[in-house]
């Protein structure tokens, strides 16, 4: 009966009325899909500033690995050339990891004191100095001390950059952005390892160059962070998305303040 048009007048009126009722939900569903599609398209679009801060922080964190991995890359060479014994290499590696862990607990307090821009600039300068001293010093004690200090500054890069990305991107797109951004960890590790393998395999270069050349890169990144880097967007990215976040720095609790919060240890 519903497959063909009825012939009588009464059936024609009933058929038109019923078909109109069936088409109204389809029209509403189509309008909803168009509205949802426009919202998704708006959420997927990024401003020039957001793209710039993504590329800058991505490249910066790739550069971090060039002053983080030289020791692990050259460890066998340092042992074979009697620069350090196996026990000394283990002690240096352990000291780096201990200071790295300690600095992670105080990252929030340091960011509150220095700020994101000054914090990143200081970290790049400091890690560059540590890499340069390790690659140029003849003293075992000096090399060990500088690499231990390097762990303090290496631990601060990730939380400082995460704070910046959190300010620049709204909550609606932050998961997708951070998912793409974290690929810089694999990219940086691969690039630093490939660089170290090239230097160690070159007859005219020594293990010192694995530390010295990344130090120059760290100084360049420090200059870029001090001049070009913008820790805060000019426009709140959450504006109009149903949530808001102040562009001014928010007060953060240190690790020790969190411990002594009421009922924290009970």
């Amino acid at each position: 009966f519903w497959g063909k048009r009825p012939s009588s007048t009464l059936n024609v009126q009933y058929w038109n009325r019923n078909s109109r009722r069936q088409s109204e939900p389809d029209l509403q569903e189509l309008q909803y899909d168009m509205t949802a599609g426009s919202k998704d398209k708006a959420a997927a679009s990024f401003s020039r500033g957001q793209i710039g801060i993504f590329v800058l922080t991505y490249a910066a964190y790739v550069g971090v690995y060039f002053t983080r991995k030289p020791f692990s890359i050259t460890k066998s060479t340092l042992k074979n050339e009697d620069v350090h014994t196996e026990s000394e290499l283990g002690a240096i590696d352990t000291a780096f990891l201990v200071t790295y862990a300690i600095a992670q607990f105080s990252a929030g307090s340091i960011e509150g004191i220095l700020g994101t821009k000054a914090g990143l600039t200081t970290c790049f300068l400091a890690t560059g100095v540590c890499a340069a001293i390790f690659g140029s010093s003849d003293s075992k004690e000096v090399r060990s001390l500088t690499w231990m200090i390097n762990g303090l500054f290496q631990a601060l890069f990730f939380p400082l950059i995460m704070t910046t990305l959190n300010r620049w991107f709204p909550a609606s797109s932050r998961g997708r952005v951070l998912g793409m951004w974290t690929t810089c960890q694999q990219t940086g590790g691969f690039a630093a390892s490939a660089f170290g393998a090239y230097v160690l395999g070159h007859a005219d270069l020594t293990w010192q160059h694995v530390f010295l050349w990344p130090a120059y890169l760290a100084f360049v990144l420090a200059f870029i962070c001090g001049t070009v880097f913008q820790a805060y967007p000019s426009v709140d990215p959450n504006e109009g998305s149903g949530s808001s976040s102040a562009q001014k720095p928010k007060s953060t609790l240190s690790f020790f303040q969190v411990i002594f919060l009421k009922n924290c240890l009970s």
Side-chain angles (χ1 to χ4, degrees), residues 5-242:
R5 190 179 184 92
S7 57
S8 64
T9 305
L10 180 61
N11 289 338
V12 168
Q13 294 176 354
Y14 182 81
W15 185 86
N16 290 334
R17 183 168 61 255
N18 191 53
S19 62
R20 190 184 308 113
R21 291 175 181 175
Q22 290 181 347
S23 62
E24 287 177 357
D26 296 337
L27 180 59
Q28 294 176 357
E29 184 178 357
L30 178 61
Q31 292 175 347
Y32 175 79
D33 292 340
M34 293 177 62
T35 304
S38 61
K39 290 182 179 180
D40 293 340
K41 184 177 180 181
S45 60
F46 298 104
S47 66
R48 183 179 300 178
Q50 288 174 324
I51 296 175
I53 203 69
F54 180 90
V55 173
L56 178 58
T57 54
Y58 192 99
Y61 205 74
V62 169
V64 168
Y65 278 83
F66 281 79
T67 54
R68 178 180 297 179
K69 291 183 69 67
F71 181 77
S72 60
I73 295 172
T74 60
K75 189 179 296 184
S76 60
T77 304
L78 295 175
K79 179 183 176 181
N80 294 334
E81 295 184 5
D82 295 328
V83 179
H84 284 282
T85 64
E86 187 172 359
S87 60
E88 291 172 348
L89 294 174
I92 295 173
D93 208 2
T94 302
F96 176 90
L97 294 176
V98 169
T99 55
Y100 188 96
I102 293 174
Q104 285 184 320
F105 287 119
S106 59
S109 300
I110 295 175
E111 194 274 337
I113 296 173
L114 296 178
T116 308
K117 184 173 184 176
L120 283 174
T121 304
T122 302
C123 287
F124 272 117
L125 285 174
T127 193
V129 170
C130 290
I133 293 177
F134 193 100
S136 59
S137 177
D138 295 328
S139 172
K140 292 184 177 182
E141 292 75 14
V142 172
R143 287 195 297 266
S144 302
L145 179 61
T146 54
W147 205 248
M148 181 180 67
I149 297 175
N150 188 33
L152 293 172
F153 295 100
Q154 286 286 332
L156 301 178
F157 285 108
F158 188 82
L160 289 174
I161 293 179
M162 285 296 103
T163 301
T164 302
L165 295 176
N166 182 65
R167 295 173 184 146
W168 273 89
F169 293 94
S172 59
S173 62
R174 196 173 298 151
R176 183 172 68 256
V177 170
L178 295 183
M180 293 186 294
W181 186 89
T182 50
T183 60
C184 66
Q185 297 174 331
Q186 289 72 33
T187 304
F190 173 79
S193 299
F195 165 77
Y198 169 78
V199 173
L200 294 178
H202 205 282
D204 297 334
L205 302 176
T206 63
W207 64 265
Q208 286 92 340
H209 293 91
V210 182
F211 292 87
L212 293 175
W213 288 357
Y216 302 145
L217 174 62
F219 296 149
V220 172
L221 291 173
F223 175 79
I224 294 175
C225 287
T227 56
V228 179
F229 182 81
Q230 293 184 0
Y232 294 90
S234 58
V235 179
D236 186 0
N238 293 287
E239 185 177 354
S241 62

